[in-house]
Amino acid sequence: MIKKIVLLLVILALASCSSSKPAIATTKKAAAVQKPRVAATKKPAYSKPTAKNHPSTNNTTEVIQSTSKTVVTSDLINNYILQYQEIAVGNMKTYGIPASIILAQGILESGAGRGDLAVEANNHFGIKCHKDWLGESVRHDDDSAQECFRKYPQASESYRDHALFLVGKNRYAVLFTYEKDDYKAWAKGLRACGYATDPNYPDKLISYIERYNLHQYDCQVTGKTYVAINKTAPTRSSTSVANSDPKINMNSYDPNLYEVQKGDTLYSISKKFNLLVDDLKQKNNLTDNAISIGQRLRVK
């Protein structure tokens, strides 16, 4: 009995010793993955780029006052010239109006394409409706309130109508007796014939022609060598295609064109080139039989 008691005490003592051992954690700790450090950089503040004037460019600002008051820069005027120079040269070849005058009038009358009439009606020459106009129109204040002005589907139509307007009106016939590249005579003649009421109209046209070297486009047609008046304005070299005679006949170097001479009619020209009058009118976009001395007609 005593032995059993002693054995029981020994067992209890051993159990007591084993239960007093500290517990050991057996959970596996996941190895931490160290992320690479990224150096924080401060984003520079955005600064709006400023326009730098080219050393050879003087982008001046001016106000063009014609059918509307328009503020333009010399860069805008140069862009306008580049956009319409080919049309002006083509009209000079076809109708006999100096390209320099066409471009100068376009700049002045349309505010270099930024004026109200140019934007709203593609009217680049301030041409009013008149009684013979059958196309669309817009109302605009000019010499009187809400006058009727012609509206075109595109600017090129305005350039064409400007040429037809000068060629087709008897009051402008005297213009076509001037030398083809005499822009000063044309500028003064337009005012004298009643194109504009502004007494300074000729001076304004001549100013644009000489400031922007527009006479170079006349020389492209006449074949004369152009000498720049304004040395800072861009010029295009003019290759001589004939000689320097100001009375040169255009068809002497372009067989597709014929220059109207004194006494010519559409009928006589059509017979000369074995054409029908209607075909001749169609080739040259003519709406009537009116032609002028010096006018170039496409005959082939």
Side-chain angles (χ1 to χ4, degrees), residues 105 109 125 127 162 165-166 172 190-191 193-197 201:
Q105 281 195 282
E109 297 287 352
F125 295 92
I127 299 180
H162 168 260
F165 182 79
L166 295 182
Y172 297 116
L190 281 166
R191 169 70 176 86
C193 292
Y195 192 98
T197 57
Y201 195 78

Side-chain angles (χ1 to χ4, degrees), residues 77 80-81 83-113 123-127 155-167 175-176 180-184 186-187 190 195 201 204-206 208-209 214-218 221 296:
I77 294 175
Y80 182 87
I81 294 166
Q83 185 173 0
Y84 295 107
Q85 59 181 335
E86 291 185 5
I87 296 178
V89 169
N91 282 3
M92 182 177 180
K93 291 177 179 178
T94 303
Y95 301 104
I97 305 165
S100 59
I101 286 291
I102 296 170
L103 289 169
Q105 281 195 282
I107 293 168
L108 178 57
E109 297 287 352
S110 76
N123 189 330
H124 283 236
F125 295 92
I127 299 180
S156 59
E157 290 296 315
S158 175
Y159 270 77
R160 177 177 174 273
D161 191 48
H162 168 260
L164 295 174
F165 182 79
L166 295 182
V167 169
L175 298 175
F176 296 91
K180 300 173 183 63
D181 57 354
D182 189 351
Y183 61 85
K184 291 184 179 180
W186 272 80
L190 281 166
Y195 192 98
Y201 195 78
K204 291 178 180 179
L205 294 182
I206 293 170
Y208 283 120
I209 290 170
L214 302 184
H215 185 50
Q216 63 181 304
Y217 302 108
D218 300 337
V221 176
R296 262 76 71 179

Side-chain angles (χ1 to χ4, degrees), residues 289-300:
N289 294 332
I291 55 176
S292 303
I293 297 173
Q295 181 179 353
R296 262 76 71 179
L297 298 177
R298 186 164 296 279
V299 293
K300 292 184 180 179

